[in-house]
Amino acid sequence: MSPSKRRRVDWQQDRDNGPSAFRRRTVLTATAWSIPVLSLSAALPAHAATSDAVLVSLSFDSPGVLRGCMVRAIATVVTSSGAPVAGASVVFTPDSGATVLGSRSATTDGSGRAAVLIDISLANDPGMHAVTATSQGRSSSATYEVVVSPRSAPFDWRARAIAYDAFVYDWSQPGEYPTIARDTTHRNMDAETYKMPSYYGQPIPGDGGQEAITQLPSVVGATLVGIDKSDQGGRDYVDMCRTFFQPRIGVGLNNPGSGGGGQDSFWYPATANFMLSALAMLYPRAAHYDDIFRSIADKHEAMVRALGGSVADFTGQGFDFETMTLSRGSRNEGGDAAAATAVILMWAHSRFGDARYLEAAQWALGYLDRSSQSLNYEWATLLAPSAAARLNATAASSFDVRKHLMFVLQQSSARWGWGTITGSWSGYDVWGLQGSVTDGSGYAFAMGSFATAFLAPTVKYDVRYVDLVGPLLASVADAARFFYADHISTTKQIYGTRFSASPAKVIAYEGFRAQEAGVRPRATGDPSAYGRQWGLPPQTTDLGLYGSGWVGIFASTVEIVRSGLVRIDVDALDLGAGDGLRRSVYVNTATSGIDVAVPVHGSCALYDVLTDTVLTDDASGQASIPLPPGAARLVVELPPHPRLERRGGRTFFGNAVVNYRAAVPDEAAGRPVTASSTAPDSRVDNVVDDEPSTSWTSAQASDQWLSVDLREVRFVSTVSIDWVRAARSVRVDSSTDGSTWSQAVTVQATPGTQSISFPAIFARFVRLSAMTAVDGTAVSISSLRVTSDDLAARALTVASTSVNANTGQMVTDGDAGTRWESGSGDTQWILVDLGHIQTVNRVLLWWETASAKSYRIDSSLDAVTWATSFSTRSSSGGRETVDIAPVRARFLRVFCLERNTQWAYSIIALGVFAAVGS
């Protein structure tokens, strides 16, 4: 029985759950893959109240995951009649493995509340633990469950992918049930091909009944992990995959024997054509595949035009490639089709150079970009973030990458409850797995979970999302092992010990449920539940070949290097864009260590994309990089002592772009400039044209001024002037609105190049004023540069939580249009790694509306021992300049304690500065 039946059953079930599930907000934390998860529930006092009894209750502000596992415990003390008791002393007592930060006792306020921060140590054993609050002889306890994920324990995904291929493509059939057989019908081709079942134990389908979603990804995935499927044991599986391409309509379909034009479903043909296109990209010399790929691209380009061209509307169940018409149907699978179509055409443009394909790719992705909610139906919308980022970087598009990542994290509007699963299931950390969050409290599927690897290229083109994509894939690397019989307790899988030591253990269970038949959680699948009504024979198992075949795709991208360190290859799935360089996202999933040894190939330099700097000029075998717990960093391996060139906002090594968002040191470059006066044959904008031979000259008058508009508020701490004819002195003024001005500094002018530094400020407008030429004639300047000595610029960050794809990295990205958004709860934090120990004395904080009323700024040399440098209980948010006593630190942390609004916390920018002249 085809999984298409299962998909339709799931659609009905998910739809019937209603829209309420979609309204749940998904929270992706920076800690979910490596830190215990706290599940907290309050217990009532176990005593009978008397007329004058004092009652104590205990609760927590945020029953979620917090870096360092700190949670605010709140005790409420009232009389038996409900009146709050002020001034009461409350003692908080956690059990072993947890500590109270500061004093264990606190005094209730006017509302009868007292609170402390509880630090849940990793030494805490998994299971249930308690915190007790005691006041005036009365107590209340709250329990929490410490859930520890595998924390990137060794699991060789590449070896698993190779073992899967070896087992299911073994014609000697070593397992209990056959997995492969000949198809001699010559459907759609002039040679024999092969066929596989969708589930282990399911009879091999009749000729023409095999599924593209089972076989094509297995060939693509095996290729990606190094297996030549065009010549494996004398068989050319790449050529045999042509059976899924239908010459009569010019595209691929899910079954070789399928009739019609694909109108019954969007996602099945989309998957077939995507995988056939991938094979064409991976095997450029394979016979027939150029023609197949060109045909697929032409038909998809024509489909986009038929659906509206620049305003293409994919909303519907399918598309008939015979009549070139949309089938509206009863469900919307169009999101998957739009994303797959965009990538197919983007690849085709890179292969054939036809501008029609690029235009249609942008139109297809535009359908998703115009949506206000996730249109995820099965898996292919996972392609959208990387396609958006690549088209933005290489084709001057302006897609909203953050929106597409947010859609990945949200539940779908096209299929209720479908999306990214978060949190843990009865002690099993399942963050990042894909499936239904509403079906039986949660039902993850192997196929979609393995497809998360397609998110990886996103950070190659937009590094701001490295701290979202990296940790998400690292989490999936841990959680996806639960699909395998040999990597989950035999009591937590439907077949017990049957497959845990069987050769078939390399086939993943189709799914993983939060609960089934009283078992929490359980590796399982649909055949055991629906097999009878589908007409499947009883020997059909829940081990799914159709999902397992995608493991090579995942393994090509995600590698658990060792316990606590995950490597993500951002190039493996970025087909058609290779340049021979090795790019890796490293994720520190350990709980300690701030500098991590990573493997490198041969002798090389390591370039860090985030900070736009070379971390080491010449490493061999391995290199140490700054990577505190929970952090992710994108590095590129280059030849030793590389020569980098920065131009047009990008960084190049030779002709290869290694950074699409390079640092722009001069904020004034190319910005609008005005002046008090301009001499004939002079232009005021010459001062920002990066051309030393041009200049601005004022009129022959005193008190001349020159002002530059930086277009948005920036951090500013230095102004550099190249004088042609110097003034006697110059005053530097600044403004955030162009109306109200503040003096930053006044100095004597010095001929030649003069650099003027001052304590860092917020500024959109920077003005040189009170300028009178030394010789009484005119002032003349060839260049004006405005810069910031921000120690945190582009620095690596780690946040307690992040939501809606507004990641912590956005506070140091230099973009006033982005922000960090925390999860809910008063206790949240964000830290910045300055890279090495420096002396700091000023912090600039730019809050969005959702600001902190009470917060502190902590400093640390090692991200373990912290000292408070500043604290306030009365912040009103906005743009804050915080001066602190000079402190030596590598890490700074903004620790938020109380909100100004009902919302979470949101910071637009965070700047860290040393004293002027230090």
Side-chain angles (χ1 to χ4, degrees):
M1 178 66 66
S2 166
S4 59
K5 178 67 174 177
R6 172 184 62 76
R7 298 302 176 193
R8 285 193 285 271
V9 170
D10 275 359
W11 159 253
Q12 185 65 44
Q13 291 173 339
D14 291 342
R15 183 183 63 185
D16 290 346
N17 282 325
S20 60
F22 177 67
R23 290 195 292 267
R24 291 182 57 196
R25 183 167 64 170
T26 299
V27 178
L28 177 68
T29 75
T31 60
W33 62 95
S34 62
I35 298 292
V37 179
L38 308 182
S39 177
L40 303 157
S41 58
L44 294 175
H47 62 80
T50 62
S51 59
D52 60 350
V54 168
L55 305 180
V56 181
S57 62
L58 183 62
S59 62
F60 298 85
D61 74 331
S62 178
V65 182
L66 301 173
R67 170 63 58 187
C69 290
M70 285 175 282
V71 65
R72 181 184 292 271
I74 305 166
T76 303
V77 182
V78 298
T79 66
S80 57
S81 61
V85 178
S89 177
V90 182
V91 176
F92 295 83
T93 308
D95 64 5
S96 61
T99 58
V100 177
L101 293 182
S103 174
R104 290 176 49 206
S105 63
T107 302
T108 58
D109 59 17
S111 62
R113 290 171 28 130
V116 296
L117 284 176
I118 306 291
D119 181 7
I120 310 301
S121 168
L122 287 176
N124 232 346
D125 294 329
M128 302 305 297
H129 296 267
V131 178
T132 300
T134 304
S135 181
Q136 300 184 26
R138 304 294 184 175
S139 298
S140 176
S141 294
T143 59
Y144 61 89
E145 182 183 16
V146 174
V147 180
V148 182
S149 80
R151 273 189 255 132
S152 305
F155 185 92
D156 193 333
W157 281 106
R158 184 174 293 269
R160 180 52 51 104
I162 293 170
Y164 171 79
D165 180 83
F167 179 74
V168 299
Y169 280 91
D170 188 339
W171 290 80
S172 69
Q173 303 296 291
E176 185 177 353
Y177 303 111
T179 57
I180 193 167
R182 295 168 61 200
D183 179 344
T184 61
T185 57
H186 296 195
R187 289 183 186 269
N188 305 318
M189 54 189 297
D190 56 2
E192 286 188 5
T193 182
Y194 71 105
K195 54 190 178 179
M196 289 177 159
S198 297
Y199 295 96
Y200 192 54
Q202 178 186 12
I204 290 185
D207 291 348
Q210 60 267 47
E211 290 201 289
I213 66 167
T214 299
Q215 294 181 205
L216 293 183
S218 72
V219 177
V220 170
T223 301
L224 289 167
V225 295
I227 299 171
D228 184 356
K229 296 295 284 188
S230 69
D231 185 12
Q232 186 180 28
R235 292 182 171 89
D236 187 346
Y237 293 104
V238 176
D239 187 67
M240 287 190 273
C241 285
R242 289 191 293 121
T243 190
F244 294 104
F245 177 75
Q246 306 261 352
R248 63 183 178 84
I249 55 174
V251 296
L253 295 179
N254 190 48
N255 307 107
S258 295
Q263 65 272 21
D264 291 336
S265 171
F266 250 140
W267 87 265
Y268 280 104
T271 303
N273 287 291
F274 177 85
M275 294 298 171
L276 286 168
S277 300
L279 287 176
M281 295 294 287
L282 293 168
Y283 293 92
R285 295 183 178 84
H288 309 291
Y289 269 87
D290 248 15
D291 292 338
I292 288 173
F293 192 15
R294 177 72 85 166
S295 176
I296 290 172
D298 285 342
K299 294 292 282 192
H300 280 74
E301 186 263 348
M303 175 181 70
V304 173
R305 294 185 182 277
L307 294 176
S310 62
V311 289
D313 184 358
F314 284 77
T315 305
Q317 182 173 322
F319 187 84
D320 189 333
F321 282 98
E322 282 188 312
T323 62
M324 298 301 289
T325 57
L326 178 71
S327 172
R328 290 291 182 186
S330 61
R331 58 185 183 267
N332 183 15
E333 300 182 18
D336 276 33
T341 297
V343 176
I344 289 168
L345 292 169
M346 183 175 69
W347 286 347
H349 175 257
S350 72
R351 176 71 165 270
F352 303 115
D354 193 326
R356 293 180 303 123
Y357 298 151
L358 177 60
E359 182 178 58
Q362 293 169 316
W363 289 347
L365 195 59
Y367 169 71
L368 291 170
D369 209 59
R370 291 189 296 274
S371 178
S372 61
Q373 50 195 343
S374 169
L375 297 177
N376 179 11
Y377 184 78
E378 188 65 43
W379 72 274
T381 55
L382 291 165
L383 298 167
S386 62
R390 176 168 164 175
L391 289 171
N392 287 353
T394 62
S397 300
S398 56
F399 294 114
D400 190 339
V401 178
R402 188 198 69 84
K403 175 194 283 190
H404 294 293
L405 285 168
M406 183 175 68
F407 286 166
V408 169
L409 304 177
Q410 288 179 343
Q411 294 176 42
S412 175
S413 65
R415 187 176 184 178
W416 297 120
W418 202 257
T420 297
I421 293 167
T422 61
S424 63
W425 292 342
S426 303
Y428 286 78
D429 191 344
V430 291
W431 279 89
L433 298 184
Q434 301 292 301
S436 172
V437 302
T438 56
D439 186 349
S441 300
Y443 191 3
F445 288 89
M447 184 184 79
S449 299
F450 291 144
T452 57
F454 287 110
L455 296 171
T458 306
V459 300
K460 172 181 176 180
Y461 299 103
D462 198 333
V463 72
R464 294 176 299 175
Y465 299 100
V466 68
D467 61 336
L468 189 160
V469 174
L472 176 63
L473 292 180
S475 185
V476 177
D478 284 340
R481 72 185 71 201
F482 299 145
F483 291 117
Y484 289 98
D486 59 337
H487 278 271
I488 189 169
S489 168
T490 56
T491 64
K492 299 293 185 180
Q493 51 185 300
I494 191 169
Y495 299 120
T497 61
R498 179 179 174 187
F499 293 112
S500 60
S502 161
K505 66 187 179 185
V506 297
I507 305 176
Y509 276 96
E510 178 185 23
F512 189 56
R513 281 190 177 273
Q515 57 179 339
E516 184 181 72
V519 179
R520 300 170 183 265
R522 197 184 203 191
T524 184
D526 283 342
S528 59
Y530 306 113
R532 178 174 295 181
Q533 72 183 69
W534 291 352
L536 293 175
Q539 73 268 21
T540 304
T541 74
D542 287 346
L543 303 185
L545 277 75
Y546 83 90
S548 303
W550 296 60
V551 66
I553 293 170
F554 187 75
S556 72
T557 299
V558 184
E559 173 193 4
I560 299 177
V561 178
R562 60 179 180 271
S563 181
L565 182 65
V566 174
R567 175 184 176 263
I568 298 164
D569 185 334
V570 301
D571 291 303
L573 297 176
D574 191 29
L575 304 186
D579 54 18
L581 300 179
R582 187 173 189 254
R583 297 173 176 85
S584 305
V585 171
Y586 286 103
V587 185
N588 182 358
T589 62
T591 58
S592 62
I594 57 175
D595 297 295
V596 175
V598 300
V600 298
H601 285 181
S603 180
C604 68
L606 276 187
Y607 166 78
D608 176 42
V609 179
L610 188 63
T611 60
D612 196 22
T613 59
V614 174
L615 297 175
T616 177
D617 272 317
D618 193 353
S620 182
Q622 70 175 27
S624 178
I625 65 172
L627 199 68
R633 189 181 287 276
L634 172 60
V635 297
V636 186
E637 295 183 21
L638 300 172
H641 309 287
R643 182 177 180 180
L644 300 174
E645 181 182 356
R646 293 173 179 85
R647 59 180 187 272
R650 299 182 175 186
T651 301
F652 292 81
F653 173 72
N655 293 322
V657 180
V658 293
N659 195 336
Y660 288 90
R661 295 182 61 86
V664 180
D666 181 8
E667 303 286 0
R671 298 306 191 194
V673 187
T674 56
S676 53
S677 63
T678 301
D681 300 324
S682 174
R683 292 173 55 91
V684 68
D685 55 6
N686 285 345
V687 299
V688 293
D689 66 359
D690 197 30
E691 175 52 62
S693 64
T694 63
S695 62
W696 161 76
T697 301
S698 72
Q700 294 188 18
S702 60
D703 291 328
Q704 297 296 296
W705 58 264
L706 179 72
S707 179
V708 59
D709 179 359
L710 306 181
R711 293 267 176 87
E712 60 185 21
V713 174
R714 312 292 289 177
F715 299 148
V716 174
S717 61
T718 301
V719 170
S720 297
I721 306 168
D722 288 338
W723 297 101
V724 176
R725 188 179 297 116
R728 292 190 180 94
S729 63
V730 60
R731 187 178 75 226
V732 179
D733 300 328
S734 69
S735 173
T736 57
D737 58 10
S739 298
T740 303
W741 293 84
S742 298
Q743 178 179 329
V745 67
T746 298
V747 298
Q748 293 297 312
T750 57
T753 298
Q754 181 175 13
S755 182
I756 305 170
S757 295
F758 42 86
I761 55 174
F762 293 98
R764 171 176 169 176
F765 300 89
V766 176
R767 183 175 67 190
L768 307 181
S769 59
M771 296 187 294
T772 301
V774 174
D775 58 7
T777 56
V779 173
S780 184
I781 297 173
S782 66
S783 296
L784 169 65
R785 293 177 296 280
V786 177
T787 58
S788 165
D789 300 312
D790 180 9
L791 304 177
R794 305 174 65 89
L796 184 147
T797 66
V798 180
S800 56
T801 58
S802 297
V803 300
N804 297 325
N806 291 315
T807 70
Q809 208 56 63
M810 293 180 175
V811 303
T812 62
D813 68 357
D815 186 345
T818 64
R819 62 191 174 96
W820 166 59
E821 181 183 0
S822 77
S824 60
D826 278 334
T827 307
Q828 302 286 344
W829 55 262
I830 184 168
L831 71 80
V832 59
D833 180 358
L834 304 180
H836 57 275
I837 296 171
Q838 307 195 57
T839 300
V840 174
N841 82 327
R842 175 168 282 200
V843 176
L844 298 187
L845 267 175
W846 187 356
W847 298 95
E848 199 243 4
T849 303
S851 61
K853 177 181 179 180
S854 175
Y855 72 91
R856 67 175 189 258
I857 297 176
D858 302 327
S859 61
S860 175
L861 298 174
D862 57 9
V864 175
T865 302
W866 294 89
T868 297
S869 296
F870 171 83
S871 65
T872 180
R873 295 184 179 180
S874 57
S875 170
S876 57
R879 301 186 188 104
E880 291 192 294
T881 299
V882 180
D883 287 318
I884 61 177
V887 59
R888 285 175 54 77
R890 172 173 162 180
F891 301 92
L892 254 70
R893 179 177 68 185
V894 178
F895 202 107
C896 304
L897 299 168
E898 185 180 357
R899 292 168 285 176
N900 269 319
T901 70
Q902 61 179 313
W903 312 112
Y905 300 102
S906 187
I907 298 177
I908 296 170
L910 167 63
V912 180
F913 297 86
V916 175
S918 66

